[in-house]
């Protein structure tokens, strides 16, 4: 689904207020000021928003401005999202957690809506902004607070790949089928994670070959038994002939505990099933039970926390 919002729709003296309402609706609760006094009457901006399963992609073109998310905004909103600003034109600064990420064309940086931040633009600019539920990225990365407001170059490595994928996505996004859109959204997240893992703050000791083998073995068994509602760390340990503490040890370097990993894999499987045309007639609860959930209400709450919408809303994307 795509929508275009623009300040052209309102008189000039109302544009800054209208813009502030726009960015609050598309992203999270924010404040916005012109960079220079007296510039509010000349303000212009537009947002083209594209919605994919579990990922919003928007293109922002605007006059100079200062955007702020304060503790006051956070106290009035429970929004939990990560946002990624990819600089397409001009220069920008992302400020959070005591750091400033200076972005030139092609660079990107991460920021977290659960803590205050500022976005500074001293000239007209264009940015591509990714918005994804907080729990989604935390399931892939440890210590995300150490990775915010840090510049990732788009001129090499994973940053370059992300930029190329986003450019292609902008051209084809309106023609993607839901299952393809989900695959693309997951691909964007994977490349984003790879780019963030290149930052010095993300470096961690590499796993030994033996630990990597045991981790892969546990994960493979989890995937094989997702449909079993009795699946747990204890049953895994018994089947693999190891102790519960052993399984926790091999997960020590992972962002999720073993139990959280089981829930994560079940939610991911349900997200795919809900977009599968062959399962269109199957009730949401049946899909959840088929992936090992045994409480429909708990499944709905966990799904919304993970993907930012209810299972039914997620499924409706198949028909949009």
């Amino acid at each position: 689904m795509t929508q275009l919002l623009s300040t052209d729709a309102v008189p000039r003296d109302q544009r800054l207020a209208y813009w502030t309402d726009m960015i609050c609706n598309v992203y999270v609760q924010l404040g916005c000021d012109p960079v220079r006094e007296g510039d509010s009457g000349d303000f212009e901006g537009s947002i083209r928003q594209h919605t994919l399963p579990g990922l919003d992609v928007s293109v922002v073109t605007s006059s100079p401005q200062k955007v702020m998310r304060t503790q006051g905004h956070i106290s009035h909103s429970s929004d939990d999202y990560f946002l990624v600003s990819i600089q397409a034109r001009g220069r920008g600064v992302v400020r959070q957690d005591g750091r400033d990420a200076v972005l030139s064309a092609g660079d990107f940086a991460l920021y977290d809506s659960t803590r205050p931040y500022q976005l500074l633009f001293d000239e007209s600019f264009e940015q591509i902004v990714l918005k994804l539920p907080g729990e989604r990225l935390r399931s892939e990365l440890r210590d995300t607070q150490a990775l915010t407001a840090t510049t990732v170059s788009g001129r090499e490595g994973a940053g370059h790949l992300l930029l190329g994928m986003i450019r292609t996505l902008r051209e084809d996004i309106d023609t993607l089928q839901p299952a393809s859109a989900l695959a693309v959204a997951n691909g964007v997240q994977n490349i984003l994670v790879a780019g963030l893992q290149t930052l010095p703050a993300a470096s961690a000791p590499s796993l030994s070959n033996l630990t990597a083998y045991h981790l892969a073995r546990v994960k493979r068994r989890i995937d094989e038994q997702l449909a079993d509602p009795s699946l747990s760390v204890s049953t895994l340990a018994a089947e693999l002939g190891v102790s519960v503490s052993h399984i926790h040890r091999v997960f020590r370097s992972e962002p999720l505990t073993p139990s959280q990993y089981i829930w994560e894999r079940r939610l991911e499987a349900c997200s795919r099933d809900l977009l599968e045309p062959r399962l269109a007639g199957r009730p949401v609860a049946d899909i959840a039970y088929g992936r090992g959930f045994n409480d429909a209400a708990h499944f709905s709450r966990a799904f919304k926390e993970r993907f930012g919408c209810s299972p039914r809303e997620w499924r409706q994307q198949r028909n949009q």
Side-chain angles (χ1 to χ4, degrees):
M1 182 175 66
T2 299
Q3 65 173 337
L4 175 64
L5 304 169
S6 174
T7 55
D8 290 346
V10 298
R12 301 194 72 85
D13 62 348
Q14 300 175 24
R15 287 183 176 181
L16 183 60
Y18 181 70
W19 177 258
T20 302
D21 288 342
M22 282 170 54
I23 59 177
C24 288
N25 289 332
V26 173
Y27 304 111
V28 293
Q29 290 298 304
L30 298 163
C32 182
D33 289 329
V35 172
R36 291 172 288 274
E37 286 292 328
D39 280 359
S40 58
D42 297 323
F43 193 90
E44 295 181 338
S46 68
I47 302 174
R48 184 175 294 275
Q49 183 184 20
H50 311 277
T51 302
L52 296 175
L55 175 70
D56 284 355
V57 181
S58 53
V59 181
V60 182
T61 304
S62 177
S63 301
Q65 61 185 278
K66 176 182 179 181
V67 177
M68 303 141 290
R69 181 158 169 84
T70 67
Q71 196 60 54
H73 293 124
I74 294 168
S75 67
H76 288 94
S77 167
S78 60
D79 292 333
D80 180 6
Y81 294 101
F82 280 104
L83 298 110
V84 178
S85 286
I86 305 169
Q87 199 72 24
R89 178 172 55 81
R91 176 181 175 276
V93 176
V94 175
R95 178 172 293 164
Q96 190 172 50
D97 298 323
R99 294 181 295 272
D100 285 5
V102 179
L103 306 180
S104 300
D107 297 336
F108 70 86
L110 175 77
Y111 43 109
D112 185 341
S113 74
T114 65
R115 295 189 304 283
Y117 64 78
Q118 294 183 2
L119 308 177
L120 310 173
F121 307 96
D122 56 10
E123 59 187 36
S124 295
F125 69 95
E126 180 177 276
Q127 275 194 344
I128 303 165
V129 181
L130 311 181
K131 175 185 171 185
L132 61 162
E135 284 305 309
R136 187 172 188 189
L137 201 59
R138 292 189 193 96
S139 72
E140 299 286 341
L141 288 168
R142 279 187 175 276
D143 301 324
T144 53
Q145 187 166 343
L147 306 179
T148 55
T150 305
T151 304
V152 181
S153 173
R155 288 173 285 282
E156 58 187 5
H160 181 68
L161 289 174
L162 178 65
L163 200 61
M165 176 175 276
I166 292 297
R167 285 171 176 159
T168 302
L169 183 60
R170 286 179 65 180
E171 297 174 2
D172 300 336
I173 197 166
D174 292 325
T175 63
L176 289 173
Q177 295 299 312
S180 298
L182 177 59
V184 169
N186 288 337
V188 168
Q189 178 180 321
N190 291 339
I191 296 176
L192 170 63
V193 168
L196 293 169
Q197 286 175 333
T198 65
L199 298 175
S203 60
S206 58
L207 297 178
S208 69
N209 290 338
L210 183 60
T211 301
Y213 164 75
H214 284 297
L215 180 61
R217 183 175 176 231
V218 173
K219 287 184 173 181
R220 184 169 61 250
R221 185 57 63 93
I222 288 172
D223 285 343
E224 291 169 352
Q225 299 190 17
L226 280 182
D228 182 357
S230 68
L231 175 65
S232 68
V233 179
S234 297
T235 61
L236 280 171
E239 289 186 16
L240 294 172
V242 298
S243 67
V244 169
S245 60
H246 169 81
I247 292 179
H248 282 285
R249 274 197 305 273
V250 300
F251 267 82
R252 190 173 295 160
S253 63
E254 294 289 292
L256 300 178
T257 67
S259 296
Q260 289 170 334
Y261 182 80
I262 292 171
W263 286 105
E264 174 69 13
R265 296 298 287 168
R266 282 176 168 157
L267 287 168
E268 288 178 351
C270 288
S271 74
R272 295 191 298 270
D273 292 346
L274 288 166
L275 295 179
E276 173 56 58
R278 293 174 300 172
L279 302 178
R282 184 175 296 178
V284 169
D286 285 358
I287 286 177
Y289 297 146
R291 292 297 185 174
F293 289 96
N294 53 20
D295 184 321
H298 178 262
F299 163 69
S300 292
R301 288 194 299 271
F303 192 97
K304 186 168 185 177
E305 184 174 306
R306 172 64 170 78
F307 294 102
C309 63
S310 72
R312 295 187 187 282
E313 291 168 337
W314 181 272
R315 176 176 255 180
Q316 288 170 1
Q317 296 177 79
R318 185 171 50 82
N319 300 316
Q320 291 176 350

